[in-house]
Each structure stands twice: as C-alpha cells, then as structure tokens.
Amino acid sequence: MACQMKKILLLLLVVLLLLNLQHRVDGTQQVPCFFIFGDSLSDNGNNNNLVTMAKANYQPYGIDFPEGPTGRFTNGRNLVDIIAEHLGFNNSIPPFATARGQEILKGVNYASGAAGIRKETGQQQGDRISLDRQLLNHQVTVSNIKNLLGNNESLATAYLNKCIYSVAIGSNDYLNNYFLPQFYPTSRIYNQEQYATVLVQQLSQQLLTLHKLGALKIALFGLGFLGHTPVELTMCRNNSSCVDNIDNAVALFNDKVVTLVNNFNNNLTNAKFIYINTTEISLSSSTSEGSIVTNVPCCEVLKNPQPQTECIPFGTACSNRSQYSFWDAVHPTEVGYVVYGGRAYRAQSPADAYPHDIEHLAQS
Ligand SMILES: *[C@@H]1O[C@H](CO)[C@@H](O)[C@H](O)[C@H]1NC(C)=O
Ligand SMILES: *[C@@H]1O[C@H](CO)[C@@H](O)[C@H](O)[C@H]1NC(C)=O
Ligand SMILES: *[C@@H]1O[C@H](CO)[C@@H](O)[C@H](O)[C@H]1NC(C)=O
Ligand SMILES: *[C@@H]1O[C@H](CO)[C@@H](O)[C@H](O)[C@H]1NC(C)=O
Ligand SMILES: *[C@@H]1O[C@H](CO)[C@@H](O)[C@H](O)[C@H]1NC(C)=O
Ligand SMILES: *[C@@H]1O[C@H](CO)[C@@H](O)[C@H](O)[C@H]1NC(C)=O
Ligand SMILES: *[C@@H]1O[C@H](CO)[C@@H](O)[C@H](O)[C@H]1NC(C)=O
C-alpha cells in the first residue's frame, strides 16, 4: 500500500517535471514549487492561531478576496498570490500552519506578520515566526518532501533545486524594532550604517541555510519607502525630516542587499539570486498613477493613543479601493500588490529587478 503510494507520487513528480519543460507556454506552471519566506506582505494565514496583535483574519480584511478574511494583510490577493499566479500556479501556496500531505510538493508559505530577520523583532505585538523559525519549518518540509519522494536523496535535491524561493523581510526590523526606541534598544546600540550591516550579515547566514536546504533560485525583495507609510507619516506628524530619516536608514539596508546578491552570485556555484527593486517600482508607479491616494489608509485605523497599523476590527473601508495605495496604515492594497508582484515577475524597466526578473529566474 505504502509502496504503491510512492510509485503514484513518483509518477506525479515526473509529470510535474515534464510540465516544467513547457514553461514557456502561457498558463502552464513554470516551476514545480514555490517557497515563501517573509512578513505580512506575504503571510496568508500563519498568524491566525498565534497570540498577537499582528493578525488579519477579521473584516474588513479580505473584503475583495473570494474566501473573505484569511489572514492576508490586504483587501484581496497579496504579493506572493500575484507572483504565484504569474508562475502559473492554479492555487495559492498553502500556509505552513495548515499545509498537509502532498500539497507541500507545490511549495509552502512560511511568512508571518510582524516577523523579522532578528528574532526579537515584532515582540511588542505578540507572537510571530521569525526568519530563523521559518527556516526550521522549512527543514521539516524538506524532510517530508524526501519521504514523499521515496527517501531518494538525489531525487529530492534535484526537485528542490528547481523551485523558486522568495524572501521579502526586513521592514519589521525597522518599523517594529529600530524605530520604536521605547520598546527596543537597537537604535542606542547601533547607528544606521551599523544596523544595516548587522541585519544583512544575519540575513546572509540565513540565506546560506536556505541554500544548504536545496534552494538555488532565490528572489530577495528590497524594502520600500517605509517612512512614507501612513503609520510613519502619523508618527512623524508629517515632519519630512523624520520621514526621510527612516527612508534613508532603509536605503542603507537595500544597498547592502544588492552587494550580497553580487557576492552570492559570484561565490555560490549554481545558485542564482535576484534583487527586486521595490523603491524603483514604487517611484515609477506613483508617477504614472497620478491622482491615487498615497498618504492615508483605505480602512479605518486607530491613531490614538498610539498610531496603529492594522484596520479596526469590523471598521469601515473606502469603497473605491483601486484609488488607494495603502489598505491599512502600512500594507498595500491589492492593486498595489498587482503592480509590485507583476513587475517583480516581469520587469517593466531594467531597474525593477537585478540582474533579472523572476520570469528569467524560473527559466534559468
Ligand atoms: C490549471 O488549470 C487549468 C484550467 O483549469 C488546467 O488546464 C491546467 O491543467 C491546470 N494546471 C495544473 C498544473 O494543474
Ligand atoms: C533515485 O532517483 C534517481 C532518478 O530517478 C534514480 O536514477 C536513482 O536510481 C534513485 N536512487 C535510488 C536509491 O532509488
Ligand atoms: C498629515 O497630513 C495629512 C494630509 O496632508 C493629514 O490628513 C493628516 O492629518 C496630517 N497628520 C498629522 C499628524 O498632522
Ligand atoms: C522634525 O524632525 C526632526 C528630526 O526627527 C527634528 O529635529 C525636528 O525638530 C522636527 N521638526 C518639527 C517641526 O517637529
Ligand atoms: C564573494 O565575491 C565577492 C565579489 O563579488 C568578494 O568580494 C567576496 O569577498 C567573496 N566572498 C564572500 C564570502 O562573499
Ligand atoms: C534601484 O532603483 C533605483 C531608482 O529608484 C536606482 O537608483 C538603483 O540603482 C536601483 N538598484 C539596482 C540594483 O538596480
Ligand atoms: C474609482 O477609481 C477609478 C480609477 O481611479 C476612477 O476612474 C473612478 O472614477 C473612481 N470612482 C469613484 C466612484 O470614485
């Protein structure tokens, strides 16, 4: 019985690999699997059963999503939903919290709202799954995939080598750590340059762990203009030097991530790393959008006594979601994610993705 099952699964694998050969045909799945690491930009339900304020499984979240509120931190599909669609996946990648059985062969989403590169990041909101813990969860998945593939080590490695891995993390290491001095000491220990260095050093170790677990095609997302998120505009009381100070700190991190991508591409044989230039996509899309609202959230968010990031449970939301960049005080609306995910997948300008976009990463 178990042996029969393994044969069926191996057959399924062969079919998947064959489908992979036809990746240039529109509509077919381009890679066998997609693994997702990160924070609330990618989370699709991992925080639902954690004790934390960083949750999105209540209305009005999911107001434009067929299944309603699922734990996605937006009105509709999130960043990785859009990328998975472009990659040809028929269904979204399941969250680690609920993924079971054979579905893990298509990939798993480990992302967790409020999580960071550093393990203490986000703790003032409650529980969250830091990047280190996400990698431990991936280790569990890798061993389950080996089992599913008949404990054939080389077959499992060849399979994992073909997958796309997305890593979009670091925003909380700034917004839910460095720039909350009342909760975290980091801004007293490190200046901005030093903090960017320690973050990228830790990220580099974490990416090496991911690489050891068989990842060869890795997309790293740079951070956006965090100073210009509605929550920080409120905290800064619209003071532009306060806002720019946050954006400048984040730019130091982004520059070092680009260097990391270069170093990995030069030194790790077979591995391909790409950098998604979130600031470039954000700048060039806002100029083309014109009248869109970029400084206030679509849903109702509490500002007192402390500015909050998430929508008020069962609060109101704007009716014309497509005219707003921000859904709540920090997360993009679905239309925002369509732009970010779409251009990460297929670059519209050479600066969008370095050295190339996710479509090329899938084909390489
Ligand atoms: C995805 O759905 C389409 C249309 O329903 C179908 O033709 C295709 O075979 C499906 N692809 C996979 C990989 O399941
Ligand atoms: C593992 O799978 C590969 C590729 O299908 C095959 O060539 C090899 O013989 C298998 N090894 C074992 C120990 O079954
Ligand atoms: C910041 O500016 C926006 C629009 O320009 C305004 O709606 C908001 O009340 C201002 N916030 C503060 C804290 O001054
Ligand atoms: C604006 O912020 C800067 C730096 O954060 C501070 O030095 C300055 O006093 C602030 N200006 C006002 C008008 O609050
Ligand atoms: C990797 O390659 C870069 C050149 O891009 C080099 O400067 C660096 O020292 C190398 N080693 C490591 C461990 O990154
Ligand atoms: C990212 O975009 C900015 C412009 O927004 C550009 O200055 C920078 O060189 C780009 N970075 C890369 C690695 O392409
Ligand atoms: C909603 O937004 C679209 C796109 O910006 C615009 O064309 C339309 O007039 C807006 N509708 C309302 C009711 O504001």
Side-chain angles (χ1 to χ4, degrees):
M1 180 66 188
C3 185
Q4 194 73 9
M5 195 66 184
K6 276 177 189 163
K7 276 188 188 148
I8 293 169
L9 286 168
L10 283 176
L11 200 67
L12 172 74
L13 170 69
V14 172
V15 171
L16 286 173
L17 291 177
L18 286 177
L19 277 174
N20 189 29
L21 294 178
Q22 313 170 342
H23 54 60
R24 265 157 255 258
V25 183
D26 263 330
T28 62
Q29 199 181 301
Q30 298 174 31
V31 287
C33 32
F34 180 26
F35 291 98
I36 296 154
F37 299 83
D39 55 26
S40 52
L41 300 178
S42 310
D43 189 353
N44 64 347
N46 287 309
N47 278 17
N48 291 353
N49 292 315
L50 299 187
V51 179
T52 174
M53 296 187 304
K55 277 180 190 274
N57 56 344
Y58 56 83
Q59 282 166 13
Y61 286 99
I63 192 170
D64 299 312
F65 197 73
E67 291 140 63
T70 55
R72 285 169 172 80
F73 289 76
T74 183
N75 55 311
R77 294 163 295 166
N78 69 15
L79 178 67
V80 293
D81 291 326
I82 303 296
I83 294 170
E85 280 176 23
H86 282 290
L87 286 169
F89 287 89
N90 277 349
N91 299 108
S92 62
I93 304 302
F96 180 77
T98 60
R100 294 292 175 268
Q102 301 180 23
E103 64 178 347
I104 64 170
L105 288 170
K106 293 241 170 149
V108 175
N109 183 338
Y110 305 97
S112 166
I117 293 166
R118 292 171 70 84
K119 82 171 189 309
E120 83 276 12
T121 287
Q123 73 186 4
Q124 95 286 0
Q125 301 229 40
D127 201 6
R128 71 267 157 234
I129 307 161
S130 66
L131 184 53
D132 283 338
R133 284 178 60 205
Q134 293 179 30
L135 287 163
L136 289 173
N137 289 342
H138 185 53
Q139 217 174 323
V140 172
T141 300
V142 166
S143 102
N144 287 337
I145 285 181
K146 274 181 193 153
N147 267 327
L148 287 171
L149 300 182
N151 284 316
N152 182 328
E153 190 85 26
S154 60
L155 193 63
T157 302
Y159 189 77
L160 292 165
N161 287 173
K162 287 178 173 287
C163 310
I164 299 270
Y165 299 77
S166 109
V167 181
I169 200 156
S171 299
N172 290 308
D173 295 293
Y174 285 94
L175 299 187
N176 282 309
N177 189 328
Y178 196 77
F179 287 108
L180 285 183
Q182 64 274 43
F183 292 109
Y184 300 90
T186 43
S187 61
R188 293 183 288 276
I189 300 172
Y190 305 110
N191 67 27
Q192 293 180 357
E193 176 71 29
Q194 292 165 336
Y195 190 60
T197 300
V198 296
L199 281 183
V200 173
Q201 273 169 355
Q202 190 168 350
L203 180 62
S204 152
Q205 291 307 311
Q206 290 159 333
L207 292 169
L208 286 173
T209 301
L210 182 59
H211 177 253
K212 285 203 193 85
L213 290 168
L216 293 184
K217 301 180 177 200
I218 303 179
L220 293 177
F221 280 77
L223 308 183
F225 293 104
L226 301 182
H228 282 81
T229 53
V231 65
E232 294 306 315
L233 291 175
T234 305
M235 296 233 248
C236 285
R237 303 180 171 283
N238 292 332
N239 175 343
S240 65
S241 57
C242 168
V243 167
D244 291 346
N245 182 43
I246 299 173
D247 288 345
N248 292 339
V250 169
L252 296 173
F253 173 85
N254 285 341
D255 287 348
K256 291 181 199 299
V257 173
V258 175
T259 306
L260 186 66
V261 163
N262 281 327
N263 288 350
F264 279 152
N265 283 337
N266 287 334
N267 303 337
L268 290 178
T269 43
N270 301 329
K272 295 187 179 69
F273 286 77
I274 65 168
Y275 172 77
I276 305 302
N277 198 338
T278 308
T279 50
E280 156 66 21
I281 297 173
S282 168
L283 276 178
S284 60
S285 62
S286 65
T287 48
S288 63
E289 277 160 7
S291 66
I292 212 161
V293 180
T294 62
N295 57 355
V296 292
C298 168
C299 75
E300 215 182 336
V301 179
L302 279 182
K303 286 189 174 179
N304 295 300
Q306 277 295 306
Q308 300 296 305
T309 51
E310 270 92 53
C311 306
I312 298 175
F314 306 101
T316 60
C318 66
S319 57
N320 202 349
R321 262 87 69 186
S322 63
Q323 285 187 314
Y324 283 73
S325 304
F326 286 98
W327 162 248
D328 61 16
V330 76
H331 304 108
T333 47
E334 181 183 71
V335 292
Y337 284 130
V338 167
V339 172
Y340 288 111
R343 291 175 64 168
Y345 177 75
R346 187 173 291 164
Q348 260 174 38
S349 96
D352 284 1
Y354 171 85
H356 50 240
D357 57 24
I358 293 176
E359 184 175 33
H360 286 88
L361 189 63
Q363 289 166 3
S364 63

